[in-house]
Amino acid sequence: MSAGVALAALTYLEFHLLFVLPPLVALLVLAGPVERPYAGPLGVAVLAVVAVVYTTPWDNHLIATGVWAYGEGTVAFRIWHAPIEEYLFFVLQPVLTSLWLARLPTASDYEFGISVPQRALGLLGGGLVAALGLFFLAESTYYLGTLLLWASPVLAIQWAFGWPVLWERRRTLALGVGVPTAYLAAVDRIAIELGIWTFDDAFMTGLAIFGLPIEELLFFALTNVFLVQGLLLFWWVTDRWEQVRTVWNRRTPTGS
């Protein structure tokens, strides 16, 4: 009984302490030798900054619109419409996912250089995601529509930059995305059950998996796709930096 009462009284910050930090610390403690001692942490830091900057306007818009809200007394304070704990998650998720990804085979044999048709195909893929977002941009599917529209520019850029590299490392990509997505979706379901955050059904499809709105599952999947793809591409470039410089110098008149 006392444990149930304690869980019911969880704040957003306590949720982080209980469900987000422990696996992060465990992965950090169990990590083997540090690969890419320079490019590894730098890639994670860049993604964390981008995550905060890019996600903040969209996240605050959905809170202001009423797509989701937070239980009374569950947040410490807010910056704009979002609680400080939300911004903290924008940083913790990249660290958590990257620590998991670092345990997988991430080196690519793909030579540097992507053809123009391949880049066009990547842009087309991102455009199709945007078109799907526009299709779902109605009140009853507003969360889903805005989520896909928000995701489409990032996907277009990443796919246009190096989707053949990601395809080569598709098993790593699937594992790198799948495991943290499954974990975060599971603990998100717990948070919803505890009332730490709630959703307005007027903006949702009503589809759910084990009580978790499909939009939430897709959110974690897409954000982890951003992170894993971003790191794989960043490391693909830094692992062959001399080759990158050679190609760049060939294309830049001042490089000769």
Side-chain angles (χ1 to χ4, degrees):
M1 176 69 74
S2 59
V5 173
L7 279 176
L10 273 184
T11 64
Y12 198 167
L13 181 59
E14 290 168 340
F15 173 83
H16 284 328
L17 293 173
L18 188 61
F19 293 110
V20 181
L21 281 181
L24 188 155
V25 171
L27 286 170
L28 189 61
V29 170
L30 297 175
V34 177
E35 294 185 17
R36 307 180 183 91
Y38 170 75
L42 177 60
V44 177
V46 169
L47 284 177
V49 171
V50 171
V52 173
V53 172
Y54 188 69
T55 308
T56 292
W58 174 76
D59 187 88
N60 278 272
H61 167 71
L62 292 188
I63 295 171
T65 305
V67 174
W68 66 71
Y70 301 89
E72 185 178 353
T74 61
V75 301
F77 63 91
R78 298 175 186 249
I79 299 176
W80 198 359
H81 298 290
I84 187 64
E85 297 89 344
E86 192 97 329
Y87 298 101
L88 179 60
F89 181 74
F90 296 164
V91 175
L92 292 177
Q93 185 186 1
V95 176
L96 176 65
T97 298
S98 65
L99 285 172
W100 164 248
L101 180 64
R103 304 184 66 82
L104 304 175
T106 57
S108 172
D109 295 325
Y110 201 94
E111 292 299 317
F112 183 74
I114 304 296
S115 69
V116 172
Q118 287 173 325
R119 294 191 188 282
L121 187 59
L123 285 174
L124 177 62
L128 291 175
V129 175
L132 197 59
L134 287 171
F135 177 79
F136 285 110
L137 201 59
E139 182 175 345
S140 60
T141 54
Y142 192 69
Y143 185 178
L144 178 60
T146 56
L147 175 60
L148 293 171
L149 282 173
W150 170 76
S152 59
V154 178
L155 296 177
I157 292 169
Q158 291 181 336
W159 292 343
F161 185 79
W163 71 261
V165 180
L166 301 173
W167 178 252
E168 183 208 31
R169 296 252 55 98
R170 56 190 177 277
R171 291 184 179 84
T172 296
L173 179 60
L175 277 174
V177 171
V179 171
T181 295
Y183 177 75
L184 291 172
V187 298
D188 185 70
R189 177 68 183 87
I190 294 172
I192 294 171
E193 185 68 24
L194 297 177
I196 298 176
W197 47 79
T198 59
F199 300 92
D200 188 335
D201 293 338
F203 301 104
M204 313 286 284
T205 62
L207 300 175
I209 299 177
F210 299 114
L212 179 71
I214 195 70
E215 295 89 344
E216 282 290 274
L217 178 60
L218 186 59
F219 167 78
F220 290 118
L222 285 171
T223 51
N224 282 317
V225 164
F226 296 168
L227 296 170
V228 174
Q229 290 187 160
L231 284 172
L232 289 177
L233 292 173
F234 183 80
W235 293 337
W236 172 62
V237 171
T238 55
D239 284 352
R240 48 188 49 75
W241 188 242
E242 287 304 317
Q243 184 185 359
V244 173
R245 289 179 60 188
T246 300
V247 172
W248 179 262
N249 287 336
R250 282 202 212 106
R251 296 176 180 176
T252 308
T254 57
S256 56

